[in-house]
């Protein structure tokens, strides 16, 4: 099996009423944990790399680690640029072997977003690579951009058809109330997503794959594990799993998860050091951390995404 685009994955996911997990990767243990889980569940997979991840680990290292994962698992794996913000960054990832890129022009005006996205689509399609665009603005932190809740805005369904047809994008990220990071809803409030917007969009562009960013559920077990082992995280609330399952049964074909992996890894390492304060071999604490990632991803595949057995 080779590194693939998401075209086939999304087509089957749309028809089958499930979603593909797009997990952020930054190092070998994260890649191993995710891909081992996908192999056990025979699940198709998107591994996504942010520009921060690329700066941290280096493009070539990440690419070679993912190639190793394809050899080890024999799974269809799509390699995706998460939140590309310039044409040059997208081009560099396309030239460097990614099969999918996101151009996030959501911070620009509608016309400038279309112009930038169209430019990336032309280059990407010439090279057999698919493109995710974004309309609407999520709250939260991603790379250099911190969008406050006040500056966030839901996707306007009336703009979607024009955006998709003028840009030629292959999938579209929309804002319906999810947000990046561990603090998605105020403590004491009831998490809510705008399924009415998703429904409208689905009706306007039937069959077109929709992407949900900021979709970690912020698994409480790991927040507690962090706080019981020297951490000090405020109350954190994520997206309830039943809402993600509902989105996956609709037009949402790609669900982005990063924060839950970070929490699993950090909670497990904090616990390890609390229990083994004299240890200093990185393999000793990275092994349970990798296992925690694997269990988290298996849980997502089976209970949230529904893509088990679909590779
Ligand atoms: O949406 C952003 C992802 O969680 C990636 O985060 O830019 O800190 O690597 P990062
Ligand atoms: P979370 O912060 O909810 O994991 O979202 C990740 C994401 O959207 C990556 O693009
Ligand atoms: Zn995102």
């Amino acid at each position: 099996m080779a590194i693939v685009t998401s075209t086939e994955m999304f087509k089957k996911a749309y028809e089958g009423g499930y979603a593909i997990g797009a997990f952020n990767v930054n190092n070998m243990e994260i890649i191993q944990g995710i891909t081992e889980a996908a192999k056990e569940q025979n699940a198709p997979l998107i591994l996504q790399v942010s520009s921060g991840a690329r700066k941290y680990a280096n493009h070539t290292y990440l690419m070679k680690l993912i190639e190793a994962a394809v050899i080890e698992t024999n799974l269809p794996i799509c390699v995706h640029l998460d939140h590309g913000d310039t044409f040059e960054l997208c081009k560099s990832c396309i030239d460097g072997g990614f099969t999918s890129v996101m151009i996030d022009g959501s911070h620009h005006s509608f016309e400038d977003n279309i112009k930038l996205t169209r430019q990336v689509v032309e280059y990407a399609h010439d090279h057999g690579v698919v493109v995710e665009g974004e309309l609407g603005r999520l709250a939260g932190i991603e790379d250099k951009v911190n969008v406050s809740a006040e500056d966030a805005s839901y996707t306007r369904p009336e703009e979607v058809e024009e955006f998709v047809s003028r840009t030629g994008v292959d999938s579209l990220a929309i804002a319906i109330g999810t947000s990046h990071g561990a603090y998605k809803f105020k403590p004491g409030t009831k998490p809510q997503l705008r399924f009415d917007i998703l429904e409208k969009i689905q009706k306007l562009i039937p069959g077109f794959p929709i992407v949900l960013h900021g979709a970690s559920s912020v698994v409480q077990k790991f927040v507690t594990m962090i706080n019981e082992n020297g951490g000090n995280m405020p109350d954190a609330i994520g997206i309830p799993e039943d809402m993600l399952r509902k989105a996956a049964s609709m037009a949402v074909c790609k669900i982005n998860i990063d924060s839950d992996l970070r929490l699993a890894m950090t909670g497990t390492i904090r616990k390890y050091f609390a229990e083994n304060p004299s240890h200093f071999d990185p393999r000793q604490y990275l092994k349970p951390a990798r296992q925690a990632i694997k269990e988290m991803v298996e849980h997502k595949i089976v209970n949230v995404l529904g893509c088990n057995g679909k590779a």
Side-chain angles (χ1 to χ4, degrees):
M1 189 58 80
I3 290 174
V4 298
T5 72
S6 50
T7 309
E8 272 306 300
M9 291 183 190
F10 287 168
K11 196 170 174 287
K12 286 195 214 159
Y14 200 109
E15 284 162 8
Y18 61 89
I20 315 292
F23 300 97
N24 286 73
V25 298
N26 295 280
N27 68 10
M28 183 185 78
E29 284 76 12
I30 295 173
I31 291 173
Q32 288 177 332
I34 296 166
T35 54
E36 283 169 19
K39 184 172 174 55
E40 266 178 41
Q41 293 301 330
N42 193 31
L45 194 58
I46 298 172
L47 295 179
Q48 54 186 12
V49 176
S50 68
S51 72
R54 221 163 153 257
K55 282 192 200 106
Y56 170 77
N58 172 299
H59 180 98
T60 311
Y61 276 94
L62 290 173
M63 204 59 211
K64 293 294 166 193
L65 286 166
I66 294 171
E67 282 169 19
V70 170
I71 293 169
E72 286 295 317
T73 61
N74 202 29
L75 284 175
I77 298 179
C78 167
V79 187
H80 174 77
L81 168 66
D82 191 25
H83 293 285
D85 58 349
T86 61
F87 172 78
E88 290 71 27
L89 173 59
C90 293
K91 180 179 182 300
S92 170
C93 290
I94 293 165
D95 294 345
F98 283 24
T99 48
S100 174
V101 293
M102 173 188 195
I103 178 68
D104 182 355
S106 61
H107 308 287
H108 297 293
S109 68
F110 184 64
E111 280 303 322
D112 288 349
N113 189 358
I114 290 184
K115 205 168 145 205
L116 176 62
T117 306
R118 178 73 214 163
Q119 190 191 9
V120 172
V121 168
E122 277 170 11
Y123 189 80
H125 285 183
D126 278 350
H127 293 77
V129 169
V130 292
V131 180
E132 173 185 326
E134 179 165 331
L135 258 188
R137 205 182 284 179
L138 270 70
I141 302 165
E142 65 202 49
D143 260 338
K144 289 157 270 174
V145 188
N146 184 355
V147 183
S148 69
E150 296 78 58
D151 286 337
S153 53
Y154 296 117
T155 304
R156 294 152 57 108
E158 62 274 23
E159 290 182 346
V160 160
E161 254 184 300
E162 185 181 346
F163 185 82
V164 167
S165 66
R166 283 179 63 193
T167 58
V169 283
D170 304 278
S171 62
L172 182 68
I174 61 167
I176 57 167
T178 62
S179 62
H180 291 105
Y183 308 100
K184 300 187 192 297
F185 300 101
K186 287 205 178 82
T189 61
K190 199 165 159 277
Q192 264 172 346
L193 295 185
R194 291 289 305 272
F195 281 102
D196 58 318
I197 293 179
L198 176 57
E199 253 164 47
K200 275 191 193 141
I201 292 172
Q202 186 165 355
K203 279 201 187 109
L204 287 164
I205 45 171
F208 194 82
I210 299 299
V211 177
L212 218 51
H213 281 248
S216 280
S217 292
V218 188
V219 175
Q220 186 56 41
K221 173 181 146 186
F222 290 109
V223 177
T224 306
M225 198 181 279
I226 288 171
N227 286 342
E228 281 177 351
N229 292 286
N232 185 18
M233 282 186 67
D235 283 347
I237 307 176
I239 314 296
E241 289 184 348
D242 59 338
M243 291 188 188
L244 295 170
R245 275 197 298 275
K246 180 172 169 185
S249 74
M250 298 168 69
V252 171
C253 295
K254 172 174 179 269
I255 291 191
N256 285 13
I257 296 165
D258 187 5
S259 297
D260 273 333
L261 304 184
R262 297 179 180 196
L263 291 167
M265 194 160 198
T266 303
T268 304
I269 291 173
R270 274 192 177 278
K271 182 167 180 282
Y272 184 87
F273 278 123
E275 288 167 359
N276 304 279
S278 65
H279 287 189
F280 61 93
D281 178 346
R283 292 171 297 189
Q284 290 176 314
Y285 57 85
L286 289 174
K287 196 176 169 187
R290 179 174 60 191
Q291 179 63 22
I293 296 240
K294 183 179 172 187
E295 286 166 19
M296 172 69 76
V297 171
E298 280 206 75
H299 172 79
K300 300 280 183 189
I301 287 172
V302 175
N303 300 298
V304 178
L305 303 157
C307 61
N308 44 315
K310 308 289 189 190

